[in-house]
Amino acid sequence: DSGVTQTPKHLITATGQRVTLRCSPRSGDLSVYWYQQSLDQGLQFLIQYYNGEERAKGNILERFSAQQFPDLHSELNLSSLELGDSALYFCASSIHSGGADTQYFGPGTRLTVL
Amino acid sequence: GQSLEQPSEVTAVEGAIVQINCTYQTSGFYGLSWYQQHDGGAPTFLSYNALDGLEETGRFSSFLSRSDSYGYLLLQELQMKDSASYFCAVRDLGNTPLVFGKGTRLSVIA
């Protein structure tokens, strides 16, 4: 158990819908990262927050947005969902914002768009 | 930007040794990390190299050569439970996120 929690574990929805994925980082970690992993693909970095502020942005679609709240939990919002958005979405956390920080991953949310 | 190359698949026999290579291209370089991911599971941290040389953690070792932009993960005394995907990842200088390779799927056979 990494100490990072994600809810829900599974999510099945229809095209065009909007969903929210939730992540609680390890106690004491200030950074939260979101990744997308499609079938047989690597981990695609979406976005990073550090202590409530956006720190880095990857290949995140405009239909996707995220935020980190004062209690450091984070939410990833996916809207106007398409079939291609079906994937595993991982949240990871680390103490600081980079450098040699180890990232600890949550169990992931499996999103299926029908 | 950054790019990483690692073999897509490797098969090895239980009890043997296997080496998974990773070459990278980055404008700057902070360190090379390795993560393990079992099917359906979350990636878990294995090792981190910032300096040249070998880091050993039990049955797993990781090596880095900064001058060659190359590293590898060495798994010894392979066990069936080592069957998983292994990702190398690099971080550029500054506050940049980890960039992961596409992963190497290791299959351990009896």
Side-chain angles (χ1 to χ4, degrees):
Chain A
D1 184 357
S2 67
V4 179
T5 61
Q6 288 186 249
T7 56
K9 192 169 178 61
H10 300 278
L11 198 49
I12 301 174
T13 188
T15 54
Q17 294 298 304
R18 172 189 169 94
V19 297
T20 298
L21 312 184
R22 193 178 192 280
C23 168
S24 292
R26 291 189 324 154
S27 176
D29 284 0
L30 299 178
S31 269
V32 169
Y33 309 79
W34 287 98
Y35 293 88
Q36 180 192 57
Q37 186 175 42
S38 302
L39 192 63
D40 295 329
Q41 292 294 309
L43 291 153
Q44 299 296 317
F45 169 71
L46 296 177
I47 197 164
Q48 176 200 358
Y49 279 84
Y50 175 73
N51 204 20
E53 295 188 1
E54 182 183 305
R55 181 57 63 100
K57 187 177 276 193
N59 296 323
I60 187 167
L61 300 172
E62 286 191 10
R63 301 184 285 109
F64 296 0
S65 65
Q67 56 184 326
Q68 186 179 29
F69 295 87
D71 67 353
L72 300 178
H73 90 271
S74 177
E75 293 181 355
L76 178 67
N77 301 295
L78 316 176
S79 61
S80 302
L81 284 168
E82 301 175 359
L83 295 178
D85 298 327
S86 295
L88 261 174
Y89 290 84
F90 286 104
C91 161
S93 73
S94 67
I95 294 176
H96 299 302
S97 181
D101 281 359
T102 296
Q103 291 188 13
Y104 296 88
F105 283 77
T109 293
R110 182 173 293 280
L111 173 66
T112 302
V113 182
L114 301 175
Chain B
Q2 301 111 322
S3 67
L4 298 98
E5 292 288 332
Q6 53 180 130
S8 58
E9 293 184 4
V10 172
T11 300
V13 178
E14 190 176 17
I17 299 172
V18 71
Q19 178 174 313
I20 299 174
N21 298 321
C22 174
T23 57
Y24 59 87
Q25 286 187 318
T26 61
S27 52
F29 179 78
Y30 211 116
L32 181 69
S33 302
W34 288 93
Y35 285 77
Q36 178 193 59
Q37 184 181 27
H38 287 98
D39 284 347
T44 56
F45 173 78
L46 289 177
S47 68
Y48 173 75
N49 295 69
L51 303 175
D52 286 356
L54 192 68
E55 296 279 343
E56 298 181 61
T57 309
R59 295 187 298 113
F60 293 1
S61 303
S62 58
F63 171 82
L64 175 66
S65 168
R66 295 172 68 107
S67 61
D68 295 323
S69 298
Y70 163 77
Y72 65 72
L73 180 68
L74 192 73
L75 296 83
Q76 303 181 72
E77 300 172 19
L78 280 172
Q79 302 176 9
M80 301 301 284
K81 68 178 181 179
D82 297 329
S83 293
S85 291
Y86 292 84
F87 296 88
C88 58
V90 295
R91 177 178 277 119
D92 206 332
L93 298 175
N95 291 320
T96 57
L98 277 176
V99 174
F100 286 82
K102 291 192 179 298
T104 298
R105 190 174 193 87
L106 170 65
S107 298
V108 180
I109 58 175

